[in-house]
């Protein structure tokens, strides 16, 4: 799992009852739209997310309709497990100075 995917999941796990749209997720995760949207599509394909299009009239709102995402129940469980496994793996890493002595 990439760091970008982990950041997206962190944002989505931050509010399990709400929905967020792609650029909002990207802003909170500190990632560009071109990175976030493929991640969201991939997570939706594997069943971790569900999405819906906003029901607005773009000409009235002055902007395109947004696609909102939220974790499914099973997706939230899977996301927590995956992030926990990544955190455990990081703890097991040993950092060594490069060159020279310490």
């Amino acid at each position: 799992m990439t760091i970008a995917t982990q950041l997206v999941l962190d944002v989505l796990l931050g509010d399990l009852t709400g929905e967020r749209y792609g650029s909002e997720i990207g802003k909170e995760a500190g990632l560009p739209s071109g990175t976030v949207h493929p991640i969201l599509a991939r997570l939706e394909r594997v069943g971790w997310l569900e999405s819906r299009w906003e029901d607005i009239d773009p000409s009235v709102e002055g902007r395109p309709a947004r696609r909102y995402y939220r974790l499914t129940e099973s997706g939230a469980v899977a996301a927590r497990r995956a992030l926990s496994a990544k955190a455990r793996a990081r703890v097991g890493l040993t950092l060594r100075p490069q060159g020279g002595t310490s």
Side-chain angles (χ1 to χ4, degrees):
M1 178 183 300
T2 66
I3 291 172
T5 301
Q6 293 173 52
L7 292 170
V8 167
L9 289 173
D10 279 335
V11 169
L12 293 167
L13 284 167
D15 180 10
L16 293 174
T17 60
E19 298 175 308
R20 302 235 168 104
Y21 57 96
S23 61
E24 179 182 32
I25 294 167
K27 184 176 179 180
E28 288 187 44
L31 299 168
S33 177
T35 299
V36 172
H37 285 91
I39 291 169
L40 295 171
R42 194 167 43 252
L43 292 172
E44 189 170 19
R45 275 194 309 273
V46 298
W48 288 24
L49 292 181
E50 57 189 17
S51 68
R52 70 171 181 86
W53 282 101
E54 180 179 39
D55 186 21
I56 64 164
D57 181 344
S59 62
V60 171
E61 296 296 324
R63 62 171 174 78
R66 294 174 177 153
R67 188 168 185 170
Y68 284 90
Y69 299 88
R70 72 174 197 85
L71 286 165
T72 61
E73 216 173 291
S74 61
V77 170
R80 282 190 197 103
R81 282 187 189 143
L83 292 177
S84 178
K86 282 294 191 183
R88 285 192 306 274
R90 279 193 300 272
V91 169
L93 295 177
T94 303
L95 300 178
R96 294 178 226 171
Q98 290 185 347
T101 60
S102 57

